[in-house]
Amino acid sequence: MKRDVKERHPERHGTMMLDLSPLRASRGFQLLYAARAASFLAFGVLGVAVSLQMYALTASSLQVAFLNAAVAGSMALALIVGGWLADSYDRRAVMVWSRTAHLLTILILMANAALAAPMVWPIYAAAVVGGSTFGFGMPAIMAATPALVGREHLSGAAALTAVAAQAGAIAGPFLAGAITAGAGLVACYGVVALISGITPIVLGFLPPLPPLAGPSAGAPLPVLAADEAGFMGGLRYIARSPLVLSLLLVDLVALVFAVPYVLLPELATHGLGGGPDSIGLLYAAPSVGALFGALASGRAGASPFAGRWLVACVAIWACACIALGFSEGMAPALFCLATLGAAASLAGILRAALIQRATPDAMLGRVSSLWVLEETIGPALGGMQAGTTAHLASARIAMAAGGGLCLAATAAIAAFTPALRDASLAPEAKRKADDLALAAVDVR
């Protein structure tokens, strides 16, 4: 079944430039991409604005941390339901509904900010609503991409999405600061409402996107057994798919051991002798590196060695974390963080393409929800791990040790998982990926 895909065979890209073929291949993906780009920018502005308001009201970084925990907790619970919704109902309807409901978050924040004496509890209420609506809709958004672009264009679609995400992460905070300083928080929330309001309108122009009953548009799949329904069915599918399981394990290892962001204030203050401006530069460096990594991802689209490239990217990511622990001076630290961001970005692009290519459409919503859940919980676990190690030793030791553990664990997973080492994004590997997906779902 083809869904608004104009071309089914991607070009082999001879340069490292960003692959734009998904945008040329599908008007549906153009609409989805425009909606997601608007959302990324809105989230970038909203996250900073809400944190600024919470700190202004409470003068407590702990309250800001609790606010982020409220978002993550509500989103984690909603993702479980969101995966089932994406595999049970028209994904366009789920996306439009969730993005429309998300506007309630901004209305709560605007109304509270307009009060003479803004309160804290409405901000927490908005955080719960925002996290929940994100969790309900995100699996449907991720599961819609293969149907819109065809599985031949998945790496290009992932790269384009990464560019939009990093651009929003870079531009959003600057925009939030400028609007808040000039016109105030109410105006800032108003801009977020305007940007966010575009999203459900654009998504409404997508074609219907009901879940398919096979590993791809052209490969039939037997009706799923009763035990494959619901959230646990997604877990069982992952457990039976060596490729998807190894991809998620490698991602979890990197998130837990090689994401040193919670250590950057200590590194800047005590290790590099810098101040707040130095901390800002350190936090910005990974996003800049990630943006350049996504822009230079053109060759990933048809790589017959995608699995090996992914392992190499995670290894570079881990080595950059180790080097950061030994860095002396701001310039080397910024280079390590930019390298880390670029390697993580390329690994994420390859991972997204491989997971979406290896997972049957009937399972994409639930697998996507579990993947996003991992992306939500992993950094939190990593922050606790890094913070505890730094408390017992130092930030530098925590970075170096975390990178070393990531490197060792990634090598072990790759060594014991041939499916990961042999994973390919070349067009001729499509049938093999579909056969593996079929075998993982078939319970006969």
Side-chain angles (χ1 to χ4, degrees):
M1 177 179 177
K2 297 181 181 180
R3 299 180 180 177
D4 188 35
V5 179
K6 300 174 185 174
E7 57 176 287
R8 303 295 295 180
H9 301 288
E11 300 173 0
R12 288 186 178 274
H13 303 282
T15 70
M16 295 297 290
M17 298 304 294
L18 184 67
D19 178 13
L20 300 177
S21 62
L23 291 172
R24 295 192 296 267
S26 169
R27 180 178 179 273
F29 181 72
Q30 292 172 9
L31 294 170
L32 181 66
Y33 187 68
R36 296 198 72 182
S39 293
F40 286 132
L41 179 60
F43 289 146
V45 176
L46 186 62
V48 172
V50 172
S51 296
L52 287 173
Q53 184 181 25
M54 178 61 83
Y55 189 80
L57 291 175
T58 65
S60 170
S61 295
L62 185 60
Q63 290 279 12
V64 177
F66 284 153
L67 181 65
N68 292 331
V71 174
S74 58
M75 181 171 67
L77 293 174
L79 279 168
I80 297 174
V81 179
W84 170 77
L85 288 172
D87 287 340
S88 303
Y89 297 96
D90 187 306
R91 289 161 181 168
R92 178 184 65 177
V94 175
M95 288 187 282
V96 171
W97 174 83
S98 63
R99 290 293 88 209
T100 301
H102 182 74
L103 294 174
L104 179 60
T105 303
I106 306 157
L107 294 178
I108 294 172
L109 292 169
M110 285 184 67
N112 184 55
L115 296 175
M119 297 174 286
V120 170
W121 72 263
I123 303 177
Y124 278 105
V128 172
V129 173
S132 299
T133 53
F134 182 93
F136 287 137
M138 193 62 196
I141 291 175
M142 297 177 69
T145 301
L148 292 172
V149 303
R151 301 201 175 206
E152 298 87 349
H153 295 290
L154 286 174
S155 61
L160 287 164
T161 302
V163 169
Q166 296 304 326
I170 294 170
F174 286 105
L175 187 59
I179 297 174
T180 303
L185 270 172
V186 175
C188 188
Y189 290 139
V191 170
V192 174
L194 181 63
I195 299 172
S196 299
I198 297 172
T199 303
I201 296 174
V202 173
L203 291 173
F205 287 99
L206 287 171
L209 294 167
L212 301 178
S216 70
L221 182 73
V223 176
L224 297 180
D227 69 342
E228 296 307 307
F231 177 73
M232 295 306 297
L235 285 176
R236 280 188 284 269
Y237 171 75
I238 291 172
R240 287 200 302 271
S241 173
L243 176 56
V244 176
L245 179 60
S246 62
L247 288 168
L248 294 178
L249 285 177
V250 168
D251 189 28
L252 182 62
V253 163
L255 292 174
V256 171
F257 293 116
V259 179
Y261 302 149
V262 299
L263 305 175
L264 296 185
E266 180 179 342
L267 177 67
T269 304
H270 301 293
L272 302 176
D277 55 338
S278 299
I279 297 174
L281 287 173
L282 292 176
Y283 272 110
S287 293
V288 174
L291 179 59
F292 278 100
L295 289 171
S297 62
R299 288 186 186 272
S303 172
F305 308 109
R308 298 175 191 180
W309 277 112
L310 185 146
V311 172
C313 286
V314 177
I316 293 171
W317 178 352
C319 290
C321 190
I322 295 171
L324 181 64
F326 292 99
S327 63
E328 298 290 344
M330 181 59 66
L334 291 174
F335 177 78
C336 290
L337 285 166
T339 302
L340 184 153
S345 177
L346 287 169
I349 290 166
L350 292 167
R351 183 182 302 109
L354 288 169
I355 288 177
Q356 290 179 323
R357 190 167 184 173
T359 304
D361 192 89
M363 283 284 182
L364 263 176
R366 282 164 288 175
V367 171
S368 296
S369 71
L370 290 165
W371 181 17
V372 178
L373 187 61
E374 177 184 273
E375 292 281 330
T376 303
I377 296 174
L381 295 176
M384 289 190 292
Q385 175 275 134
T388 302
T389 306
H391 177 73
L392 296 175
S394 69
R396 290 186 179 277
I397 291 176
M399 292 173 186
L405 288 171
C406 175
L407 190 62
T410 300
I413 294 169
F416 288 99
T417 314
L420 176 60
R421 299 195 306 271
D422 298 337
S424 172
L425 288 173
E428 57 269 19
K430 180 178 184 296
R431 183 176 297 277
K432 182 178 179 181
D434 288 346
D435 290 342
L436 290 173
L438 179 62
V441 177
D442 195 349
V443 296
R444 293 174 298 176

